[in-house]
Amino acid sequence: MSEHSLSTVLPPLRLLLLGYGHVAQALLPLLASRNEWLGNELGARPVISGIGTRSSGYYIHPQGIDVDLLAHEKNPLDWFSRTSSRIDNAEAFIRGGKAVGASILIELTTLNPHNGQPALMHIRSALQAGLDVITANKGPVAYAQSELQLLAGHYNVQFRFEATVMDGLPLINLAQFTLPGVGMRSFRALLNTTSSLVLSMIEQGYTLDEAIARAQQLGIAEADPWYDLDGWDAAMKTTILANTLLKGELTPQTVEREGMRDLTLDAIRAASAAGTPIRLVSQARRTQGALIAEVRPRKIQEGDILQLGKGTTSVISMETEAMGTITLVEHEPTVLHTAYGVLSDLVTVLRHRQAVS
């Protein structure tokens, strides 16, 4: 079946995009490129019913715009805003999207590492409105994962967050769908690409400022790069993984955190020259019934699997009872990988709908 015939036969899958940064901008063309597959495999024809940002405003289109059409515009947000109705705020945006038939909120707003707001409030509102929610925002999940999952269950909707930890790598889904009952004991990981890149560049002779500038140029650093370098990004990811893989109830403040501020350039280069490069390591384990989690710079010894983490490569090594050690490596992730994590959650939501219908 051709894309054209699919567009005339399939009912629209109406989506709301809240936030329009790098991930959302990569998601639109990715959705368009998978449009035919989504139609053939899942009977879905993605339509954008709303796009909202704090800086540019919130807009609802009553009929929605096919993702193919929107993705091929030179400036999709500008074009969408000129053809749509402006809404006062994010909460009204969610209600307005629901009113025109949207069934999924894709929440991609900027991280607030201190409490996850206002994204947390927006996700709560969407779940209470009966919308499935997909997010790549670590804050709300790190601070309120259990609450949001309970809320989703209460309103019979789904809350998915694969892209919050390792971009598009199927880590959350792996634990949920492929490794049930495996008996997860602990994990060690390199989860923050900005710190790994900065440390790698310093080892090569670059200054700290030059390394940070490169991370910002690649679009992998948070708006304030010290959220990454002080370990907050890794602490939130560690929280999410500890709560998901090890059934914890941690918050980012309960993760022991030490960033890179006290590392000197000479110490970083000397460790690398000795074959034991320094990286910001996340780890969590259960000890005598207690869940202990931490993020801190550590020398990676020769032969350690975490030495695979060169440049922006991310690594996680998990110790399990039934499967021994399992290691996953994400080589040089880009923003497209994160967008794919969102797409994979969309597929999971649709497959769940089919299973219960």
Side-chain angles (χ1 to χ4, degrees):
M1 184 178 288
S2 70
E3 288 188 48
H4 177 72
S5 58
L6 279 172
S7 68
T8 60
V9 172
L10 295 174
L13 173 67
R14 301 187 187 278
L15 310 173
L16 297 178
L17 290 182
L18 186 55
Y20 194 71
H22 296 302
V23 177
Q25 291 167 37
L27 178 63
L28 281 179
L30 180 61
L31 277 173
S33 72
R34 300 298 184 268
N35 202 22
E36 185 173 8
W37 183 88
L38 287 166
N40 288 328
E41 294 292 322
L42 298 168
R45 176 170 64 91
V47 167
I48 306 301
S49 291
I51 301 178
T53 76
R54 280 191 291 179
S55 58
S56 299
Y58 304 90
Y59 299 90
I60 296 291
H61 193 288
Q63 289 75 44
I65 305 295
D66 274 27
V67 70
D68 272 342
L69 296 175
L70 193 58
H72 287 95
E73 287 295 320
K74 183 176 181 180
N75 188 331
L77 177 58
D78 180 65
W79 188 81
F80 191 91
S81 66
R82 287 187 283 107
T83 60
S84 306
S85 301
R86 183 160 183 149
I87 305 297
D88 290 338
N89 54 56
E91 300 303 300
F93 171 79
I94 292 168
R95 293 193 300 270
K98 177 71 173 179
V100 300
S103 61
I104 300 175
L105 173 72
I106 300 177
E107 196 283 321
L108 303 173
T109 62
T110 303
L111 168 69
N112 177 344
H114 303 296
N115 57 18
Q117 295 290 9
L120 176 53
M121 176 178 63
H122 303 331
I123 291 173
R124 284 192 188 115
S125 297
L127 295 173
Q128 291 168 340
L131 297 174
D132 295 313
V133 175
I134 297 167
T135 187
N137 192 327
K138 297 173 286 291
V141 187
Y143 284 100
Q145 178 177 337
S146 292
E147 175 205 335
L148 296 174
Q149 288 176 318
L150 287 171
L151 197 62
H154 179 76
Y155 287 95
N156 197 28
V157 291
Q158 298 176 72
F159 176 54
R160 310 296 313 177
F161 47 90
E162 184 66 78
T164 58
V165 179
M166 291 183 75
D167 308 296
L169 201 71
L171 182 57
I172 306 299
N173 288 336
L174 182 75
Q176 180 178 355
F177 299 118
T178 311
L179 296 174
V182 75
M184 197 73 66
R185 290 174 170 170
S186 65
F187 67 81
R188 298 172 63 244
L190 304 182
L191 299 176
N192 181 259
T193 53
T194 297
S195 64
S196 293
L197 177 63
V198 167
L199 287 165
S200 293
M201 290 186 66
I202 290 172
E203 291 165 358
Q204 297 167 43
Y206 292 92
T207 68
L208 177 61
D209 288 342
E210 288 170 339
I212 290 174
R214 179 57 177 161
Q216 291 173 326
Q217 180 185 8
L218 292 173
I220 63 173
E222 294 293 347
D224 179 351
W226 283 101
Y227 288 157
D228 295 299
L229 304 182
D230 279 337
W232 276 112
D233 173 82
M236 285 189 287
K237 291 177 177 179
T238 302
T239 300
I240 294 169
L241 285 181
N243 291 342
T244 301
L245 302 181
L246 299 171
K247 310 303 180 186
E249 290 291 339
L250 302 182
T251 68
Q253 282 79 12
T254 58
V255 175
E256 297 179 22
R257 178 184 56 83
E258 179 184 341
M260 293 169 42
R261 286 184 186 264
D262 294 334
L263 295 176
T264 67
L265 301 188
D266 287 343
I268 294 168
R269 290 166 184 155
S272 177
T276 56
I278 297 172
R279 293 294 181 268
L280 199 60
V281 177
S282 296
Q283 57 186 24
R285 66 191 182 281
R286 286 202 173 274
T287 302
Q288 297 179 342
L291 180 57
I292 306 299
E294 66 174 32
V295 173
R296 66 181 72 252
R298 291 188 176 276
K299 291 182 179 179
I300 309 300
Q301 301 300 316
E302 185 176 354
D304 191 321
I305 195 69
L306 295 188
Q307 282 217 8
L308 290 172
K310 302 182 186 303
T312 59
T313 293
S314 298
V315 184
I316 181 168
S317 187
M318 299 168 285
E319 293 294 331
T320 74
E321 294 173 4
M323 286 288 291
T325 302
I326 301 172
T327 300
L328 302 177
V329 181
E330 184 182 33
H331 296 278
E332 304 294 335
T334 67
V335 68
L336 180 61
H337 293 70
T338 308
Y340 177 75
V342 175
L343 174 62
S344 73
D345 275 344
L346 180 63
V347 171
T348 300
V349 167
L350 295 175
R351 283 180 170 162
H352 177 79
R353 287 183 181 181
Q354 289 180 340
V356 300
S357 63

